Structures are given as structure tokens and as C-alpha cells.
Amino acid sequence: MKSSRDDILELFDYCWQRFRTRMDGLTDEEWRWQPGADDRVTLRWRLTHIADTLREERNARWLGLAPSPNPVREVVDATTALASVEEAYATWRGHLSSVTEESLASPIGKTAGRYGHATRRSFALHIVDEFIHHTAEAALLRDLYT
């Protein structure tokens, strides 16, 4: 019988593969393209935000783990942007895969402030939800570019 952690990892991996396939062939021109005045409506911003969300220092702490150094790569083009997201994905996945089922069922605790009553599982699902949301936006921006 699979654990809920395994189910979350499977969902995350599926969404990751879908995103990476969708970003195959991303060009620097697409990465730089800005359809309006707001910089947040760009693949540059979106990919940086995805990487930042997956590598946030709180992620380890909120899962009950010790934070580890997570260097941020300088992003200068589409290739380094995708590499940054890949590194952040590996970091998040590593955290999630090292948490026990019992730990996932536990409250996050004081470190999460007003969210301390929530379970670590709910936090993991929140990160997956954010990942799906922002990768869908990235896919839409690619569609709009063409």
C-alpha cells in the first residue's frame, strides 16, 4: 500500500515531467518576451518564482527538517533559468522524500506561525498546488508567444 507521501511525490513528479516537456526548446527570445508593462507576466519572472518557491528555506523547516544550503544560480538566459528550476525541484523533492508518513501527519508547529496547526502534508500539497498553478501560467505564456 502506498503512503500519502508516495502519492504526493508521484503527483509532483508527474507535474514536473509535464512542465519540463512543455518547456522543451524554450528560447532566450521567449524567456525575455514581455507582453505588457508588468514584469510578472513573463517567463523570466514565472520561472524564477517557481524556483524560489521550491527552494525556500522555510520548506525544510516546515517539513520538520534541518535547512541545508541552497545556492541560487545566476539566471541570464532560458537555459540557466530552467537549470535553476531543475535544481530547486531536486531540493524540494529531496526534502519531501526524506519525510516519514508519521511526520507528514504532524502539525507544522510554531515555526509556521499562524499556519502552525496545519499538517506538514497540507503544506506539501500547498507547494504542489503552487507548482501546478505557476507552471500552467508558464505554459500559457509560451502559447501566447507563438
Side-chain angles (χ1 to χ4, degrees), residues 3-5 63 98-108 119-121:
S3 68
S4 61
R5 182 199 65 184
L63 289 175
S98 67
V99 176
T100 66
E101 187 68 16
E102 181 180 3
S103 181
L104 274 180
S106 300
I108 300 168
T119 64
R120 292 176 177 141
R121 180 184 302 108

Side-chain angles (χ1 to χ4, degrees), residues 31-43:
W31 178 74
R32 283 188 201 97
W33 179 63
Q34 186 168 332
D38 191 342
D39 187 48
R40 292 172 297 174
V41 185
T42 64
L43 279 166

